Coordinates of all heavy atoms in Angstrom, one line a residue:
T1481 N -31.6 16.4 -2.8 CA -31.6 16.3 -4.2 C -30.3 16.5 -4.8 O -29.8 15.8 -5.8 CB -32.6 17.3 -4.9 OG1 -33.9 17.1 -4.2 CG2 -32.8 17.0 -6.3
A1482 N -29.5 17.5 -4.3 CA -28.1 17.7 -4.8 C -27.3 16.5 -4.5 O -26.4 16.1 -5.3 CB -27.6 18.9 -4.1
F1483 N -27.5 15.9 -3.3 CA -26.7 14.7 -3.0 C -27.1 13.5 -3.9 O -26.2 12.8 -4.4 CB -27.0 14.3 -1.5 CG -26.8 12.8 -1.2 CD1 -25.5 12.3 -1.1 CD2 -27.9 12.0 -0.9 CE1 -25.3 11.0 -0.8 CE2 -27.7 10.7 -0.6 CZ -26.4 10.1 -0.6
L1484 N -28.4 13.3 -4.1 CA -28.8 12.1 -4.9 C -28.4 12.2 -6.3 O -28.1 11.1 -6.9 CB -30.4 12.0 -4.8 CG -30.9 11.6 -3.4 CD1 -32.5 11.7 -3.5 CD2 -30.5 10.2 -3.0
I1485 N -28.3 13.4 -6.9 CA -28.0 13.5 -8.3 C -26.5 13.5 -8.5 O -26.0 13.3 -9.6 CB -28.6 14.7 -8.9 CG1 -28.7 14.6 -10.4 CG2 -27.9 16.0 -8.5 CD1 -29.5 15.8 -11.0
S1486 N -25.7 13.8 -7.5 CA -24.2 14.0 -7.7 C -23.4 12.8 -7.1 O -22.2 12.8 -7.5 CB -23.8 15.3 -7.0 OG -24.0 15.2 -5.6
F1487 N -24.0 11.9 -6.3 CA -23.1 10.9 -5.7 C -22.8 9.8 -6.7 O -21.8 9.0 -6.5 CB -23.7 10.4 -4.4 CG -24.6 9.2 -4.6 CD1 -24.2 7.9 -4.2 CD2 -25.8 9.4 -5.1 CE1 -25.0 6.9 -4.3 CE2 -26.7 8.3 -5.2 CZ -26.3 7.0 -4.8
F1488 N -23.7 9.5 -7.7 CA -23.5 8.4 -8.6 C -22.2 8.5 -9.4 O -21.5 7.5 -9.5 CB -24.7 8.3 -9.5 CG -24.6 7.1 -10.4 CD1 -24.9 5.8 -10.0 CD2 -24.3 7.2 -11.8 CE1 -24.9 4.7 -10.8 CE2 -24.2 6.1 -12.6 CZ -24.5 4.9 -12.1
P1489 N -21.8 9.6 -10.0 CA -20.5 9.7 -10.7 C -19.3 9.3 -9.8 O -18.4 8.7 -10.2 CB -20.4 11.1 -11.2 CG -21.9 11.6 -11.3 CD -22.5 10.9 -10.1
I1490 N -19.4 9.8 -8.5 CA -18.3 9.5 -7.6 C -18.2 8.0 -7.3 O -17.2 7.4 -7.4 CB -18.5 10.3 -6.3 CG1 -18.6 11.8 -6.6 CG2 -17.4 9.9 -5.3 CD1 -18.9 12.6 -5.4
V1491 N -19.4 7.3 -7.1 CA -19.4 5.9 -6.8 C -18.9 5.1 -8.0 O -18.0 4.2 -7.9 CB -20.9 5.4 -6.5 CG1 -20.9 3.9 -6.4 CG2 -21.3 6.1 -5.2
V1492 N -19.3 5.5 -9.2 CA -18.9 4.8 -10.4 C -17.4 4.9 -10.6 O -16.7 3.9 -10.9 CB -19.7 5.3 -11.7 CG1 -19.1 4.7 -12.9 CG2 -21.1 4.9 -11.5
N1493 N -16.9 6.1 -10.5 CA -15.4 6.3 -10.8 C -14.6 5.6 -9.7 O -13.5 5.0 -10.1 CB -15.1 7.8 -10.8 CG -15.5 8.4 -12.1 OD1 -14.7 8.4 -13.1 ND2 -16.7 8.9 -12.2
V1494 N -14.9 5.7 -8.5 CA -14.2 5.0 -7.4 C -14.2 3.5 -7.6 O -13.2 2.8 -7.6 CB -14.6 5.4 -6.0 CG1 -13.9 4.6 -5.0 CG2 -14.4 6.9 -5.8
A1495 N -15.4 2.9 -7.8 CA -15.6 1.5 -8.0 C -14.8 1.0 -9.3 O -14.2 0.0 -9.3 CB -17.1 1.1 -8.1
T1496 N -14.9 1.8 -10.3 CA -14.1 1.5 -11.6 C -12.6 1.4 -11.3 O -11.9 0.5 -11.8 CB -14.5 2.5 -12.7 OG1 -15.9 2.4 -12.9 CG2 -13.8 2.1 -14.0
G1497 N -12.1 2.4 -10.6 CA -10.7 2.5 -10.3 C -10.3 1.2 -9.5 O -9.2 0.7 -9.8
L1498 N -11.1 0.8 -8.6 CA -10.7 -0.4 -7.8 C -10.9 -1.7 -8.6 O -10.1 -2.6 -8.5 CB -11.6 -0.5 -6.6 CG -11.4 0.6 -5.5 CD1 -12.4 0.5 -4.4 CD2 -10.0 0.5 -5.0
A1499 N -12.0 -1.7 -9.5 CA -12.3 -3.0 -10.2 C -11.3 -3.2 -11.4 O -11.3 -4.3 -11.9 CB -13.7 -2.9 -10.7
T1500 N -10.6 -2.2 -11.8 CA -9.7 -2.4 -12.9 C -8.2 -2.5 -12.6 O -7.4 -2.3 -13.4 CB -9.9 -1.2 -13.9 OG1 -9.6 0.0 -13.1 CG2 -11.3 -1.1 -14.5
I1501 N -8.0 -3.0 -11.4 CA -6.6 -3.3 -11.0 C -6.1 -4.5 -11.9 O -6.9 -5.5 -12.0 CB -6.5 -3.7 -9.5 CG1 -6.9 -2.6 -8.6 CG2 -5.0 -4.1 -9.2 CD1 -6.9 -2.9 -7.2
E1502 N -5.0 -4.4 -12.5 CA -4.5 -5.5 -13.3 C -4.4 -6.8 -12.6 O -3.8 -6.8 -11.5 CB -3.1 -5.1 -13.9 CG -3.1 -3.9 -14.9 CD -3.1 -2.6 -14.2 OE1 -3.1 -2.6 -12.9 OE2 -3.1 -1.5 -14.8
P1503 N -4.9 -7.9 -13.2 CA -4.8 -9.2 -12.5 C -3.3 -9.6 -12.2 O -3.0 -10.2 -11.2 CB -5.4 -10.2 -13.5 CG -6.3 -9.3 -14.3 CD -5.7 -8.0 -14.4
E1504 N -2.4 -9.2 -13.1 CA -1.0 -9.5 -12.9 C -0.4 -8.8 -11.7 O 0.3 -9.4 -10.9 CB -0.2 -9.1 -14.1 CG -0.5 -9.7 -15.5 CD -1.7 -9.1 -16.1 OE1 -2.3 -8.1 -15.6 OE2 -2.1 -9.7 -17.2
T1505 N -0.9 -7.6 -11.4 CA -0.5 -6.9 -10.2 C -0.9 -7.6 -9.0 O -0.2 -7.8 -8.0 CB -1.0 -5.5 -10.2 OG1 -0.5 -4.8 -11.4 CG2 -0.5 -4.7 -9.0
E1506 N -2.2 -8.0 -9.0 CA -2.7 -8.8 -7.8 C -2.0 -10.1 -7.6 O -1.7 -10.5 -6.5 CB -4.2 -9.0 -8.0 CG -5.1 -7.8 -8.0 CD -6.6 -8.1 -7.9 OE1 -7.0 -9.0 -7.1 OE2 -7.4 -7.4 -8.6
D1507 N -1.7 -10.8 -8.7 CA -1.0 -12.1 -8.6 C 0.4 -11.9 -8.0 O 0.8 -12.7 -7.1 CB -0.9 -12.7 -10.0 CG -2.3 -13.1 -10.5 OD1 -3.2 -13.3 -9.7 OD2 -2.4 -13.3 -11.8
V1508 N 1.1 -10.9 -8.4 CA 2.4 -10.6 -7.9 C 2.4 -10.3 -6.4 O 3.1 -10.8 -5.6 CB 3.1 -9.5 -8.7 CG1 4.4 -9.1 -8.0 CG2 3.4 -9.9 -10.1
L1509 N 1.4 -9.4 -6.0 CA 1.3 -9.0 -4.6 C 0.9 -10.2 -3.8 O 1.4 -10.4 -2.6 CB 0.3 -7.9 -4.5 CG 0.7 -6.5 -5.1 CD1 -0.4 -5.5 -5.0 CD2 1.9 -6.0 -4.4
R1510 N 0.0 -11.0 -4.3 CA -0.4 -12.2 -3.5 C 0.8 -13.2 -3.3 O 1.0 -13.8 -2.3 CB -1.6 -12.9 -4.1 CG -2.9 -12.2 -4.0 CD -4.1 -13.1 -4.2 NE -5.4 -12.4 -4.0 CZ -6.1 -11.8 -4.9 NH1 -5.7 -11.9 -6.2 NH2 -7.2 -11.2 -4.7
A1511 N 1.6 -13.3 -4.4 CA 2.8 -14.2 -4.3 C 3.8 -13.7 -3.3 O 4.5 -14.4 -2.7 CB 3.4 -14.3 -5.7
L1512 N 3.8 -12.4 -3.1 CA 4.7 -11.8 -2.1 C 4.1 -11.8 -0.7 O 4.7 -11.2 0.2 CB 5.0 -10.3 -2.5 CG 5.8 -10.2 -3.8 CD1 6.0 -8.7 -4.2 CD2 7.2 -10.8 -3.7
G1513 N 2.9 -12.3 -0.5 CA 2.3 -12.5 0.8 C 1.3 -11.4 1.1 O 0.9 -11.3 2.3
A1514 N 0.9 -10.5 0.2 CA 0.0 -9.5 0.5 C -1.4 -10.0 0.6 O -1.8 -10.9 -0.1 CB 0.1 -8.4 -0.6
K1515 N -2.2 -9.4 1.6 CA -3.6 -9.8 1.7 C -4.5 -8.9 0.9 O -4.0 -7.9 0.3 CB -4.0 -9.8 3.2 CG -3.2 -10.8 4.1 CD -3.6 -10.7 5.5 CE -2.8 -11.6 6.4 NZ -3.1 -11.5 7.8
K1516 N -5.8 -9.2 0.9 CA -6.7 -8.4 0.2 C -6.7 -7.0 0.7 O -6.7 -6.0 -0.1 CB -8.1 -9.0 0.3 CG -9.2 -8.2 -0.4 CD -9.1 -8.3 -1.9 CE -10.3 -7.6 -2.5 NZ -10.3 -7.7 -4.0

């Protein structure tokens, strides 16, 4: 129960941090040859 009630904020914050990478940053890195 402690696990089920506490893991959702961690998932949301980590996923949000990854999903909000600036598109300009990704474009520049891809132009430099970086992979996903």
Side-chain angles (χ1 to χ4, degrees):
T1481 307
F1483 157 71
L1484 292 174
I1485 201 173
S1486 62
F1487 91 107
F1488 184 75
I1490 300 175
V1491 172
V1492 170
N1493 279 273
V1494 173
T1496 301
L1498 293 175
T1500 55
I1501 301 175
E1502 294 82 356
E1504 297 81 2
T1505 302
E1506 294 191 43
D1507 294 339
V1508 171
L1509 293 174
R1510 287 198 178 97
L1512 295 175
K1515 298 179 181 180
K1516 177 70 172 179

